[in-house]
Each structure stands twice: as structure tokens, then as C-alpha cells.
Amino acid sequence: MFVFMRRRKGVSAMLCRSTEWGTSVAFVAVSCSCVLGMWTCVAAASDTRSWTPLFNGRNLDGWGNPYDWGEARVDDGQIVLQAEQKFFLVTAKRYRDFLFEGEVKMPDAQSNSGFMFRCHQEHNKVYGYQAEVDPSERRWSGGLYDEGRRGWLNPRNNDGDSVKAFVESTKGAFRLDDWNRYRIHCIGPSIRIYVNGILTTDYVDATDRDGYIAIQHHGEAGKMYRFRNLRLRELPAPAALREAHNGLPLVFFEDFESGADRWTQTDPNAWKLIDQDGNHAYSQYQQSKYEPPVRSPLNIARIKNLKVSDFVVQAKIEQTGREYGHRDMCVFFGYQDSSHFYYTHIASSADDAAHSIHIVHGAPRVSIVLERTRGVDWGTGYHDVRVVRNVSTGSIEVFFDDMSKPVMRAVDRTFGAGGIGFGTFDDTGNVDDVIIWGRKP
């Protein structure tokens, strides 16, 4: 058993060595209920080659204790923390954009812990983002806390509605007297926290762009906090991803590295997650059996619980069908219901039905485009697509690769705030790196 201990001032302390790992770790997925959904599928996918273990199961190489107190030891492949005051065990390396996974087991309901990420350290102090571990009756596990600075970010501490909504949406995520798996998905200012596969926090904050990973003992004397299976996968952040664009705040980011649990489809059987050389995307890979109430696209995957008025939406889109005039991909917006929405049909050739901006208003789709190019060259591979809308003026602009000049333009004020989605009229294609800046109603 390897022990790493910080003792009281005046007593020597044993320090951990920092190390770099070059090996990969296999991840064995356990069977689970359907509530874990597509997140579990991603966790068990073939991308295990790119995960780096943060804990080797034998000793505490790569970790350090910046405090003059607190004990950390390795026992049965687990990191065990004990202390009489709060302290954190911190990685030697800093991380920027990543997926982190780890398991924690708490001694009882009268304890508290957390996984720090992008955090900072000084002598006897660690501060920054923390994914909350809260087995108490309060049930705030999976919340986002800013340790040593602003306090609670999600839920908001003095906001009864925020607290109620958080507790209701995360009920049952944390399991008392059992191991609990945390997943932190941190790309640019987009922060997501999952507890046992359930999304508990989806937050945007740009205070910290990089920092350490740390695990916490809250200071309950005599109680042992256990951690295991700590690993991290570094990911690239899209160059366009930032906290605001054109005066609009970031409201949504999706790279599909944690699945597609935030999406709803007209036909779930037509969509699946795919692995493209270790990068995940959302693929509308076969024809949908969905029959719309009026003539309109058949294949739609829409973001759940998101409505925006003014917006800029940008994504990487790949068309995977054969080449012909109506070879298309679509972006949906202003979505009210299945027979009331806008969409842009980006196609190889323009005609009365193709390569246009349409409105579906309780009747078969109608083109409302004012200006457009003759079409686009989908070719092979991904293209950058952007749609910009201003509700007050009715302006709608669509861009394809060249963000300085739209490929089509329209003006319409029929629908205000609404949902956002992607798909095709009757083709196939892939979507990745969805970024939305917008105003929520």
C-alpha cells in the first residue's frame, strides 16, 4: 500500500513525483438501464485508445498535495483520502479541453466531495470549477460550484426555482452507498457534468480556460473518501467556439463526444452516432420512415429544450449521398411544431424546390428566398455552414464555407423564437461541432 501524506507544519512531508503517461487504458462498460442512452454507447466505443489514465492503480505518481495536512493513499486500486480539514489532491499536469471520467464512493450521507477541473492551486489553497458530490438530503450532486470564488453556479444558491428545477431533473442520478461515475465534458466555455450517465449541468462560463484536475476530502474526521478509474481524453476546441458572437451569447455547443442525449428525432432509427477516426459525429445514415403532416423534410434531429429568437448557428456538415441536383442538407429554425417552421435547403443546384429558404406554415413548404447562388459543391468531406437570423428585421442569411458572403438570403417575420435542428429532405449526411449563439425568450 502506497501512502502520500501531508503532515502538520514542522514535520517532513513525502512528495509525489510528476510523470507523463504514454499508455492507454481499456474501459469496460457495464450493462445499464436505458436512461444512460447514447452516452453509454460512446463510453464503450472504440475511442479507448485516446484516453489517458490519471491514476495507475498502484501509486500516486502524477498527483500532489499542496496542503500542510491531509492523507492520500492507495488501497486496492483506489485512491483513499482522509483528513480533519478540507484538502484537495491535485494532478501535476494542467488540462484545457477534455472529457474527464472518474468514480467516487462516499462513506455516508453526512459527507461532501467534488471533482475539481480547470482549477488553480496555491500553498494550502485550491480554487476553481468543481463538479459537486453531495450524498446529503440536499441532493446537489452534479451541480457546478466555483470553489473559493463565486460559489454556486448551478443551481443558483439563492434562487428557489433554480434549486427546484435542478433537484427534479437530477433525481436518482446519485446512488448512496455505491460507486458513482462522473463525466465532465469541458470544451471552450461549454461545461457539462454527467452523474451515472445523467446530464446534471449544462453551463456556459469563460472564467477559466485551463487548469488542474483535483479530488476533494471535505474534512470530516475519520471518514474515508474513495476514488478510482480516473481518466481523461484531451479534445480540440473548434476555432469558432467562443463565449459570444455578434453580440449574442453562446447558448449551445455539441461535438457528440458525450452522445446525443440532448437531441430528439423525427425517426430515431434513421440517426446514429458514428466514430470517424476517434472523432464522433451524428449521422442521418438512412432514410426516415417519418411522414410529415404536410410536404416538408423527412429527416430532422432537433435540439431538446432550446428556443432562440435572434441567433447565429454554425456547424460542420457532410453530405454522404449521391451527386444529383437536389443533393441536400437542411438546417431547421424557428421551429414551433411539426407543421410550422423554417428551414434552409442547401443543395447542389437551385430550382423551385431546391437550394432555397422555405417556410412550412400549416401547408406544404413554400420558398421565401430573395437571393441565392446557383448551388453548392458538396463533394466529399465536411463543410462549414452558418445561418444568421434577426427576428426584428426578419433577416435570414445562409453561408457555406465562405463566411463573408451568403449563398442565400430571405426576409420573413412569421415565426419568432423557435427550435433548431439539422437533417435532410430525403438524403443522408453527418453533423458535428454545432455552435449556437442566441437570445432565449
Side-chain angles (χ1 to χ4, degrees):
M1 182 170 64
F2 182 86
V3 177
F4 175 7
M5 184 179 296
R6 278 283 192 175
R7 303 180 187 273
R8 299 290 182 184
K9 290 183 178 179
V11 181
S12 61
M14 181 166 58
L15 300 178
C16 278
R17 303 185 308 274
S18 66
T19 186
E20 297 291 337
W21 294 283
T23 58
S24 299
V25 62
F27 175 69
V28 180
V30 297
S31 60
C32 57
S33 64
C34 61
V35 71
L36 299 184
M38 295 182 181
W39 176 83
T40 303
C41 297
V42 171
S46 60
D47 65 344
T48 51
R49 64 187 179 276
S50 60
W51 288 88
T52 297
L54 300 184
F55 169 50
N56 62 24
R58 303 182 305 275
N59 55 47
L60 293 175
D61 284 357
W63 294 82
N65 180 1
Y67 293 81
D68 293 324
W69 57 86
E71 175 187 342
R73 67 178 186 271
V74 176
D75 183 15
D76 193 26
Q78 304 163 18
I79 297 177
V80 180
L81 302 184
Q82 284 185 278
E84 296 181 0
Q85 301 180 61
K86 178 164 59 175
F87 87 104
F88 298 86
L89 192 67
V90 186
T91 59
K93 184 178 177 181
R94 298 172 69 94
Y95 299 94
R96 186 172 178 87
D97 300 299
F98 55 81
L99 292 175
F100 166 82
E101 289 184 352
E103 291 181 273
V104 59
K105 188 174 184 180
M106 302 297 288
D108 53 41
Q110 285 71 50
S111 54
N112 185 274
S113 185
F115 291 98
M116 301 287 288
F117 58 99
R118 287 183 178 171
C119 69
H120 311 280
Q121 63 173 317
E122 300 172 3
H123 180 59
N124 289 337
K125 182 178 181 180
V126 172
Y127 59 97
Y129 298 131
Q130 176 178 279
E132 179 75 0
V133 178
D134 179 12
S136 73
E137 287 297 318
R138 186 178 62 171
R139 297 183 300 181
W140 285 13
S141 288
L144 178 61
Y145 185 73
D146 191 2
E147 171 74 26
R149 294 187 302 197
R150 296 169 292 175
W152 282 102
L153 303 178
N154 182 51
R156 295 182 296 276
N157 196 26
N158 297 317
D159 185 333
D161 291 338
S162 174
V163 170
K164 181 179 179 180
F166 178 86
V167 172
E168 289 179 352
S169 66
T170 63
K171 186 176 182 180
F174 189 89
R175 300 189 294 261
L176 191 62
D177 301 324
D178 200 356
W179 286 99
N180 289 271
R181 174 168 289 277
Y182 274 64
R183 182 180 181 97
I184 300 170
H185 191 156
C186 203
I187 308 294
S190 173
I191 298 170
R192 278 184 273 165
I193 300 170
Y194 296 80
V195 179
N196 294 318
I198 296 175
L199 179 63
T200 56
T201 289
D202 190 349
Y203 201 81
V204 174
D205 191 85
T207 300
D208 295 313
R209 282 294 285 116
D210 69 354
Y212 301 97
I213 303 293
I215 53 179
Q216 181 200 46
H217 192 290
H218 199 254
E220 292 81 7
K223 295 186 178 182
M224 293 186 293
Y225 294 8
R226 297 179 178 272
F227 301 83
R228 69 182 186 186
N229 295 331
L230 308 177
R231 66 177 192 165
L232 185 142
R233 180 185 177 208
E234 294 187 87
L235 296 171
L241 183 61
R242 50 187 179 272
E243 192 177 16
H245 182 77
N246 286 359
L248 298 172
L250 179 69
V251 295
F252 185 85
F253 171 67
E254 180 67 272
D255 59 3
F256 301 103
E257 297 302 327
S258 287
D261 59 315
R262 297 187 293 172
W263 297 76
T264 182
Q265 312 81 17
T266 51
D267 181 358
N269 293 324
W271 293 82
K272 67 178 180 181
L273 289 169
I274 59 172
D275 185 331
Q276 297 175 309
D277 297 324
N279 176 73
H280 292 93
Y282 206 28
S283 179
Q284 192 257 299
Y285 71 103
Q286 67 180 12
Q287 283 301 303
S288 171
K289 294 183 178 179
Y290 168 70
E291 296 182 3
V294 295
R295 178 67 172 165
S296 57
L298 307 181
N299 308 298
I300 305 173
R302 185 168 46 85
I303 302 164
K304 298 177 183 176
N305 305 319
L306 177 67
K307 287 187 176 182
V308 287
S309 53
D310 298 346
F311 68 79
V312 176
V313 57
Q314 182 164 320
K316 292 190 175 296
I317 299 180
E318 179 181 31
Q319 219 289 343
T320 57
R322 64 182 177 87
E323 183 56 62
Y324 71 112
H326 284 203
R327 185 187 186 197
D328 79 281
M329 291 294 288
C330 298
V331 182
F332 302 86
F333 54 98
Y335 187 95
Q336 312 298 308
D337 56 45
S338 59
S339 57
H340 297 85
F341 56 89
Y342 299 107
Y343 73 95
T344 176
H345 184 275
I346 307 170
S348 297
S349 299
D351 60 27
D352 291 343
H355 196 60
S356 189
I357 299 171
H358 297 269
I359 185 171
V360 178
H361 193 21
R365 47 96 167 97
V366 174
S367 174
I368 57 173
V369 73
L370 295 177
E371 297 176 1
R372 59 180 170 172
T373 61
R374 294 180 179 180
V376 300
D377 181 11
W378 281 108
T380 59
Y382 281 89
H383 296 269
D384 292 318
V385 173
R386 178 184 291 174
V387 180
V388 180
R389 186 177 185 220
N390 184 298
V391 169
S392 61
T393 65
S395 173
I396 301 167
E397 293 182 318
V398 181
F399 299 81
F400 185 88
D401 285 338
D402 181 358
M403 299 301 157
S404 66
K405 184 178 181 180
V407 295
M408 59 185 84
R409 185 178 68 85
V411 175
D412 191 272
R413 299 184 183 88
T414 303
F415 303 133
I420 302 286
F422 296 85
T424 73
F425 199 100
D426 52 8
D427 276 324
T428 58
N430 304 324
V431 181
D432 199 5
D433 288 349
V434 177
I435 308 171
I436 302 175
W437 300 272
R439 302 193 195 284
K440 295 182 179 180

